[in-house]
Amino acid sequence: MQKPKKIILDCDPGHDDAIAMILAASNPHIQLEAITTVAGNVELEKTTLNALRMCDILGLEDIPVARGAEQPLVREREIAPTIHGKTGLDGPIFPEVPKKAVVDQHAVDVIIEKVMASNDDIYLVPTGPLTNIALAIQKEPKIVEKIREVVLMGGGTFGNWTPTAEFNIYVDAEAADIVFKSGASVTMFGLDITHQTIASEAILKQISEIGNPVSHLVSELLIYFSKSYKQVFGFDGAPIHDACTIAYLIDDSIFDFEKVHVDIETEGNYTYGTTCVDRLHVTGREPNVKFAHQLDYERFWRLIVSALRGG
Ligand code: BDR
Ligand code: CA
């Protein structure tokens, strides 16, 4: 078997972040080096609490969890309770106080330390706003050439927070701009791809029939998340956006990619936070992003369902 891929999951759980965690924790191809948290779907206090609760459930006693940025770099914070509820993980009932505690080090320093100590073989996997990653690049620019890939969920050729902007990029577009311009290898899972992952009724049924504690939790998460997506967007099910990043690291042949140039809009009256994806190469600019545009639905869900069955 190939060596497991070392990853730092930088997240804002979040229903789909939680499913990404489950997939990462259960797969032998992935070695979780750290989990870092950021304000996004809800405030930092709550995303951190949710990450710790998920670690308890998944038995990740030895994986450090570090708190990151409470605020975007420049703009006022925005959160998404309409999608993820007040707690950020509405649906299941969790024990009030998690057993696990955060480490006494800021997420940005954990990222820098792990990347600098690596043999250029570490993947950063942001599934929330890019604030921590941008701060790490600003504090220690040398990490850029040591990061194997930034595998992120964000952006797309349409929006879900404004007509043109996706939530993670919109919340901290200045941070996204730093990351996309940094020269790091960026693999992008935007809404074009993540909306192809909608959990159908048949998938929900398969998961509910597995009948172990983690599959039970995922059922509850997906029931709540699907209800939000029905109410807010009229969708027949919820896309599990963030899990695409981990699925790719486990098996990249599930996805099709194009090399494209992407710029981040940080001004714009109507377009703040838009990822300007040059799919037709009209700018003539060098591609800076590997852009996922197509996935194999059956294989994607087979991976998730078999992870929930225990392999
Ligand atoms: C992204 O925003 C959050 O609601 C999800 O967790 C995902 O990372 C989708 O736009
Ligand atoms: Ca997220």
Side-chain angles (χ1 to χ4, degrees), residues 155-158 188 192 258 260-263 274-282 289 291:
T157 59
F158 54 92
M188 169 177 162
D192 305 70
E258 279 168 12
V260 295
H261 188 85
V262 178
D263 284 313
T274 299
T275 46
C276 304
V277 182
D278 185 9
R279 288 193 76 179
L280 295 182
H281 307 282
V282 296
V289 166
F291 174 79

Side-chain angles (χ1 to χ4, degrees), residues 5-6 115 118-124 143-151 183-187 248-249:
K5 291 178 176 150
K6 293 183 191 165
V115 173
S118 76
N119 294 318
D120 307 356
D121 57 352
I122 200 158
Y123 294 78
L124 296 190
I143 63 169
V144 166
E145 57 206 50
K146 289 189 68 68
I147 299 166
R148 183 68 172 268
E149 245 172 81
V150 177
V151 180
S185 301
V186 174
T187 301
Y248 158 74
L249 289 165

Side-chain angles (χ1 to χ4, degrees), residues 12 16-17 41 127-128 168 242:
D12 63 336
D16 51 332
D17 303 77
N41 288 321
T127 59
N168 288 343
D242 295 340

Side-chain angles (χ1 to χ4, degrees), residues 16-17 20 84 126-128 151-161 165-169 187-200 222 225 229 233 235-248 254-257 275 279 291-297 300-301 304:
D16 51 332
D17 303 77
H84 297 274
T127 59
V151 180
L152 64 88
M153 190 281 134
T157 59
F158 54 92
N160 62 1
W161 202 247
E166 179 279 333
F167 179 76
N168 288 343
I169 304 294
T187 301
M188 169 177 162
F189 292 86
L191 298 177
D192 305 70
I193 194 89
T194 65
H195 279 188
Q196 296 174 39
T197 67
I198 288 176
S200 64
L222 286 176
F225 207 31
Y229 266 81
F233 299 113
F235 283 16
D236 286 329
I240 55 164
H241 310 275
D242 295 340
C244 289
T245 58
I246 306 294
Y248 158 74
I254 293 175
F255 302 92
D256 291 333
F257 298 93
T275 46
R279 288 193 76 179
F291 174 79
H293 64 91
Q294 192 67 45
L295 66 73
D296 183 328
Y297 185 86
F300 175 82
W301 275 105
I304 309 276

Side-chain angles (χ1 to χ4, degrees), residues 8-309:
I8 298 176
L9 182 61
D10 184 69
C11 57
D12 63 336
H15 295 69
D16 51 332
D17 303 77
I19 297 172
M21 275 177 88
I22 293 170
L23 195 56
S26 65
N27 194 282
H29 296 295
I30 303 291
Q31 184 176 324
L32 253 175
E33 290 284 308
I35 293 169
T36 51
T37 59
V38 67
N41 288 321
V42 281
E43 299 84 350
L44 181 71
E45 241 12 89
K46 293 180 184 170
T47 59
T48 307
L49 181 63
N50 291 341
L52 294 171
R53 284 172 164 159
M54 288 304 301
C55 284
D56 281 353
I57 289 165
L58 297 170
L60 301 177
E61 296 92 5
D62 300 332
I63 314 294
V65 173
R67 286 163 49 98
E70 263 174 286
Q71 297 285 346
L73 296 186
V74 178
R75 304 248 174 160
E76 287 291 307
R77 186 177 55 207
E78 279 197 37
I79 56 175
T82 44
I83 305 291
H84 297 274
K86 247 210 200 132
T87 65
L89 272 190
D90 272 18
I93 308 288
F94 293 94
E96 200 49 41
V97 184
K99 286 202 210 106
K100 192 174 170 76
V102 290
V103 294
D104 193 19
Q105 201 182 7
H106 194 280
V108 168
D109 295 317
V110 170
I111 292 170
I112 293 172
E113 207 174 280
K114 295 262 179 203
V115 173
M116 292 311 287
S118 76
N119 294 318
D120 307 356
D121 57 352
I122 200 158
Y123 294 78
L124 296 190
V125 186
T127 59
L130 289 163
T131 321
N132 287 339
I133 312 296
L135 287 170
I137 292 173
Q138 282 182 328
K139 190 163 177 185
E140 180 47 276
K142 287 200 200 96
I143 63 169
V144 166
E145 57 206 50
K146 289 189 68 68
I147 299 166
R148 183 68 172 268
E149 245 172 81
V150 177
V151 180
L152 64 88
M153 190 281 134
T157 59
F158 54 92
N160 62 1
W161 202 247
T162 73
T164 62
E166 179 279 333
F167 179 76
N168 288 343
I169 304 294
Y170 177 89
V171 168
D172 200 343
E174 284 76 11
D177 190 40
I178 290 169
V179 175
F180 278 70
K181 281 197 181 124
S182 68
S185 301
V186 174
T187 301
M188 169 177 162
F189 292 86
L191 298 177
D192 305 70
I193 194 89
T194 65
H195 279 188
Q196 296 174 39
T197 67
I198 288 176
S200 64
E201 280 297 328
I203 297 283
L204 290 185
K205 185 160 176 288
Q206 273 182 43
I207 294 174
S208 75
E209 283 169 1
I210 298 174
N212 63 38
V214 177
S215 69
H216 184 66
L217 172 76
V218 170
S219 285
E220 292 184 319
L221 288 170
L222 286 176
I223 288 168
Y224 185 91
F225 207 31
S226 302
K227 225 191 291 158
S228 295
Y229 266 81
K230 181 82 190 164
Q231 267 163 17
V232 177
F233 299 113
F235 283 16
D236 286 329
I240 55 164
H241 310 275
D242 295 340
C244 289
T245 58
I246 306 294
Y248 158 74
L249 289 165
I250 295 170
D251 183 357
D252 62 359
S253 71
I254 293 175
F255 302 92
D256 291 333
F257 298 93
E258 279 168 12
K259 293 284 223 150
V260 295
H261 188 85
V262 178
D263 284 313
I264 308 294
E265 178 58 85
T266 55
E267 291 168 21
N269 272 345
Y270 306 108
T271 54
Y272 174 81
T274 299
T275 46
C276 304
V277 182
D278 185 9
R279 288 193 76 179
L280 295 182
H281 307 282
V282 296
T283 61
R285 299 185 64 191
E286 270 302 297
N288 59 345
V289 166
K290 190 168 143 191
F291 174 79
H293 64 91
Q294 192 67 45
L295 66 73
D296 183 328
Y297 185 86
E298 300 300 325
R299 288 177 61 212
F300 175 82
W301 275 105
R302 216 179 300 140
L303 186 68
I304 309 276
V305 171
S306 81
L308 297 176
R309 287 204 175 105

